[in-house]
Amino acid sequence: MKQVNLTNIRKKAKRLLFGMSGHDGLMVKVLTYLLLIGIGFVFLYPVLYMLSYSFKDIDDLLNTLVNWIPTKLYIDNYIRALEVLDFWPILWQTLYVTIIPSLLQAFIASIVGYGFARFTFRGKRLLFLLVLVTFVIPPQVTIIPKYILFNNIHILDSLAAYILPAIFGQGLNSAIFILIFFQIFRAIPLSLEEAAQLDGAGHFKIFFKIAVPMASAGYIISFLFSLVWYWNETYLASIFLGEKLTTLPLQLQKFVATYSKLFPAQGTNGVSINEGIELAGTLLTTIPLLIIYFISQRWFVESVDRTGITGE
């Protein structure tokens, strides 16, 4: 009798720790949560570091005993960073520079992807190959001919330098969005379009009434990825946008020089730049993207799952 009880106890303990078929045990759950916490910490550590140090004054930065939690909430770093970045006017410029090309890029990529998915024409494979090549070739390789072209047609130092490539399917990483829409539209049953054609619908009506609603996930993911890429782009922006338009990342690149002009140090107790002020400026540049992500998190995750994107 005791042996039977011991056997049952062992089975229950084994079931509790290692689980059964279709059910995870305690050990599996613990390991899973530890792994998720570890991965999450790797991603959150830079943000937590910036947040902590951005609220430190010079005394806390120099005090080796102060590590993560400042001795007081010091907001002067943010006040200075806002002034150096000229935050609010530059924020609206950044949104203007990023949102319009992102919307155009997502829409044009859907049209090109639909054409590749639904139409057969001479040279289709060659054109599709060229689309893939545009994704493989880094933009630095084509920057000189693009600059000469844009200069000849007088669109440098304006948003048109971003809009024109987006209209022709050559925006930032447009190829990956064309491939996304190509896969989405190819998965739509032909019977739906054939039924619409029997009802007298043309290609444009079929595209806008059937294809576009069914590709909502592709539009969301294309727009959000485009927004992030245009936002973080500094190399092309510094060349094409010139001095008339600027973005927060561009302002952040010259943060130290701008700070030195606005707040020249005066002796040992001056206002020379320190790590806390720099991290406050970095965090201010990142916050708008974080807000956009938290607002669109549910749609973003669902869209990534439906389109099959696993990361860059």
Side-chain angles (χ1 to χ4, degrees):
M1 190 68 180
K2 291 181 179 180
Q3 187 175 2
V4 174
N5 290 334
L6 286 174
T7 303
N8 290 334
I9 292 173
R10 288 172 183 171
K11 287 182 179 180
K12 290 181 180 179
K14 185 177 180 181
R15 189 182 303 117
L16 177 65
L17 292 175
F18 302 103
M20 297 176 60
S21 57
H23 298 281
D24 294 331
L26 182 61
M27 291 294 293
V28 175
K29 291 181 179 178
V30 170
L31 291 175
T32 301
Y33 281 111
L34 288 176
L35 180 63
L36 291 175
I37 291 172
I39 295 174
F41 179 77
V42 170
F43 284 97
L44 289 176
Y45 177 82
V47 178
L48 296 176
Y49 182 90
M50 285 192 296
L51 188 64
S52 172
Y53 276 68
S54 64
F55 284 106
K56 290 183 179 181
D57 60 6
I58 190 66
D59 294 330
D60 286 343
L61 291 172
L62 296 176
N63 189 350
T64 56
L65 298 177
V66 179
N67 192 6
W68 283 98
I69 302 176
T71 56
K72 59 183 177 181
L73 200 63
Y74 187 73
I75 62 172
D76 281 4
N77 291 337
Y78 285 93
I79 295 174
R80 295 190 184 278
L82 285 169
E83 187 174 350
V84 173
L85 291 172
D86 194 14
F87 185 77
W88 296 110
I90 301 302
L91 174 61
W92 295 120
Q93 280 194 42
T94 308
L95 293 174
Y96 169 70
V97 166
T98 56
I99 290 178
I100 295 177
S102 298
L103 289 172
L104 285 172
Q105 179 163 261
F107 179 67
I108 298 300
S110 68
I111 295 176
V112 177
Y114 184 78
F116 279 123
R118 282 294 183 255
F119 297 100
T120 302
F121 50 89
R122 183 176 297 179
K124 175 181 175 180
R125 292 185 178 180
L126 177 61
L127 287 175
F128 198 75
L129 178 62
L130 290 176
V131 169
L132 297 178
V133 170
T134 60
F135 180 68
V136 174
I137 297 177
Q140 291 81 358
V141 175
T142 59
I143 189 67
I144 294 177
K146 277 186 177 180
Y147 184 87
I148 295 173
L149 173 64
F150 293 168
N151 185 52
N152 290 336
I153 60 179
H154 308 292
I155 63 171
L156 286 176
D157 299 341
S158 68
L159 187 59
Y162 270 4
I163 290 178
L164 189 66
I167 290 176
F168 287 95
Q170 290 297 305
L172 286 179
N173 299 318
S174 284
I176 192 172
F177 305 129
I178 293 173
L179 292 176
I180 288 172
F181 283 109
F182 172 75
Q183 293 294 338
I184 291 174
F185 292 137
R186 197 172 65 166
I188 297 176
L190 284 172
S191 57
L192 292 175
E193 297 186 5
E194 291 172 353
Q197 288 176 348
L198 290 175
D199 291 336
H203 293 298
F204 285 101
K205 190 173 183 179
I206 291 173
F207 175 73
F208 285 106
K209 295 292 185 181
I210 297 177
V212 170
M214 298 187 71
S216 58
Y219 283 104
I220 293 172
I221 202 69
S222 298
F223 171 73
L224 291 177
F225 270 95
S226 295
L227 183 69
V228 172
W229 283 331
Y230 274 109
W231 184 287
N232 292 325
E233 178 58 49
T234 55
Y235 177 72
L236 296 178
S238 61
I239 295 174
F240 291 152
L241 299 182
E243 297 295 331
K244 295 182 180 180
L245 288 173
T246 187
T247 62
L248 284 174
L250 283 177
Q251 288 292 99
L252 188 63
Q253 280 190 336
K254 50 187 179 183
F255 188 89
V256 176
T258 306
Y259 186 93
S260 300
K261 291 179 181 179
L262 292 176
F263 305 103
Q266 301 171 354
T268 56
N269 296 323
V271 287
S272 59
I273 193 169
N274 55 60
E275 187 180 9
I277 300 173
E278 287 185 287
L279 291 178
T282 305
L283 195 60
L284 286 172
T285 306
T286 311
I287 282 175
L289 287 180
L290 293 176
I291 293 174
I292 292 172
Y293 173 74
F294 284 121
I295 292 174
S296 60
Q297 180 183 10
R298 182 170 63 88
W299 299 283
F300 177 78
V301 174
E302 290 178 358
S303 300
V304 168
D305 182 57
R306 291 173 62 184
T307 53
I309 296 178
T310 56
E312 274 292 295

